[in-house]
Amino acid sequence: MTTSAADADLRFADLSLDRDGRPQRPLTVVDLDGLRHSSPEHIADIAGSIATGAALTVAVAGNPVPARLHPILDAATVSVSELPLRDRRVVTVTDRAAAVEILSAAVDHAPRAALACGHLLRQTPALPTLPALAAEAAVYSMLLGGTEFRDWLEARGPARTPDDESGELVRIDRAGGELAIVLDRPRRRNALSARLREELLAAAQVAEADPSITAVRLAGAGPAFCSGGDLDEFGGATDPVAAYLVRLDRAPWRVLDRLSARLRIDTHGACVGAGAEIAAFGGIVTAAPGTWFRFPEVGMGLVPGAGGTVSVPRRIGRWRAAWAMLTGATIDVDTALRWGLVDRIEPTGGPS
């Protein structure tokens, strides 16, 4: 699955699909240190091959990366190094060989979803919000019918019978020109069910429709901001086209994006999947100490589907977004601050 620097000019487009369409070579590793003395023409050729190839590419650096190799950083899916490089294209790790193994294992576990996620992240940062969200919704809906998601569903076992929940799942309260929106499903750590999603959309539309609302604050009640999509509802979609349209038209992501200039999102506890994706739409994002973020969808045979392939790269770049989404690694609050996923850490918990 990997290639040495000597073979760095391989045909990146070759995924070596088996008869069932499973990629045998979804990830290529390029050793940047071994290319330090290559000609500009050779470097440009490698960067072009990466950019136009179908495989995912991780560039690995043990030394500072000279400017002449930056075209490869630009083209790669992600780069890793032990050096504390202040470069959003590079993820700082404690051991680059171990990091490559982690990434390789994650991609091998769900190569179709990993490839879909990597290619999606190449598109969304360059697109306006609506077509970017449409691309995400299309890929997500396609993967709902895939074998990797089916395998995850089988491993999960039968879904739990949903609770008979009464009352509103999203609270709103206005004080002067500020509208407070609170996810209020604390027993389920504000897991994003279809009903909570609809209520969040309605609340966001209230803010958008009223120009006298000059500030909007979104938070979560209980021990976590949002623990992600409601797993009890996963696997219920039977029509991928309908799933695509619902994710595009009945989700709050577009409205949150349009509100971003006056939207503050206060996070705490777990921000998993949809929770992390929603948070990234905030114009200002705060995090309480101990807050953590994770994107588990690729490991489930899916891609982030709550606008995350749009919101997250805008904050941290597509390279770090790819690392987080492909590996499902936990991002602690200090890393989130350093990367720009949150804007500041504030010693406040979630609302009661």
Side-chain angles (χ1 to χ4, degrees), residues 215-310:
V216 183
R217 295 183 66 166
L218 173 61
F225 171 69
C226 176
S227 60
D230 190 334
L231 298 185
D232 293 339
E233 296 185 358
F234 277 53
T238 57
D239 183 345
V241 178
Y244 164 76
L245 294 174
V246 167
R247 303 199 78 79
L248 193 59
D249 186 62
R250 300 305 307 164
W253 332 137
R254 279 190 296 162
V255 183
L256 293 177
D257 180 64
R258 292 195 294 265
L259 289 172
S260 63
R262 48 187 168 135
L263 176 61
R264 167 176 165 156
I265 299 181
D266 296 326
T267 65
H268 71 285
C271 299
V272 181
E277 299 169 59
I278 291 170
F281 279 108
I284 297 175
V285 180
T286 73
T291 304
W292 53 277
F293 303 81
R294 190 163 71 85
F295 303 91
E297 292 91 345
V298 168
M300 300 162 62
L302 300 171
V303 296
T309 64
V310 181

Side-chain angles (χ1 to χ4, degrees), residues 84-307:
L85 302 177
R86 294 187 176 182
D87 189 322
R88 65 186 352 205
R89 296 168 296 185
V90 181
V91 174
T92 300
V93 296
T94 55
D95 183 320
R96 63 186 186 275
V100 169
E101 288 303 315
I102 290 170
L103 185 59
S104 298
V107 172
D108 279 342
H109 173 72
R112 297 178 178 92
L115 284 163
C117 185
H119 288 297
L120 189 58
L121 287 170
R122 286 188 175 276
Q123 301 174 45
T124 51
L127 295 173
T129 298
L130 178 57
L133 290 173
E136 178 186 280
V139 171
Y140 185 95
S141 301
M142 171 189 71
L143 291 171
L144 288 175
T147 58
E148 292 169 352
F149 181 57
R150 184 181 65 209
D151 291 345
W152 179 85
L153 287 174
E154 291 177 356
R156 180 199 64 176
R160 189 182 69 171
T161 301
D163 296 333
D164 184 15
E165 295 176 302
S166 60
E168 296 179 341
L169 302 183
V170 174
R171 289 190 278 119
I172 60 174
D173 181 56
R174 180 168 182 175
E178 180 176 289
L179 185 72
I181 302 174
V182 179
L183 308 180
D184 194 18
R185 201 187 181 200
R187 289 178 55 194
R188 295 298 307 276
R189 298 179 184 268
N190 299 319
L192 190 71
S193 63
R195 186 156 75 89
L196 189 149
R197 185 194 67 220
E198 288 279 346
E199 291 185 22
L200 178 56
L201 172 61
Q205 288 172 332
V206 168
E208 184 180 37
D210 189 344
S212 70
I213 296 175
T214 57
V216 183
R217 295 183 66 166
L218 173 61
F225 171 69
C226 176
S227 60
D230 190 334
L231 298 185
D232 293 339
E233 296 185 358
F234 277 53
T238 57
D239 183 345
V241 178
Y244 164 76
L245 294 174
V246 167
R247 303 199 78 79
L248 193 59
D249 186 62
R250 300 305 307 164
W253 332 137
R254 279 190 296 162
V255 183
L256 293 177
D257 180 64
R258 292 195 294 265
L259 289 172
S260 63
R262 48 187 168 135
L263 176 61
R264 167 176 165 156
I265 299 181
D266 296 326
T267 65
H268 71 285
C271 299
V272 181
E277 299 169 59
I278 291 170
F281 279 108
I284 297 175
V285 180
T286 73
T291 304
W292 53 277
F293 303 81
R294 190 163 71 85
F295 303 91
E297 292 91 345
V298 168
M300 300 162 62
L302 300 171
V303 296

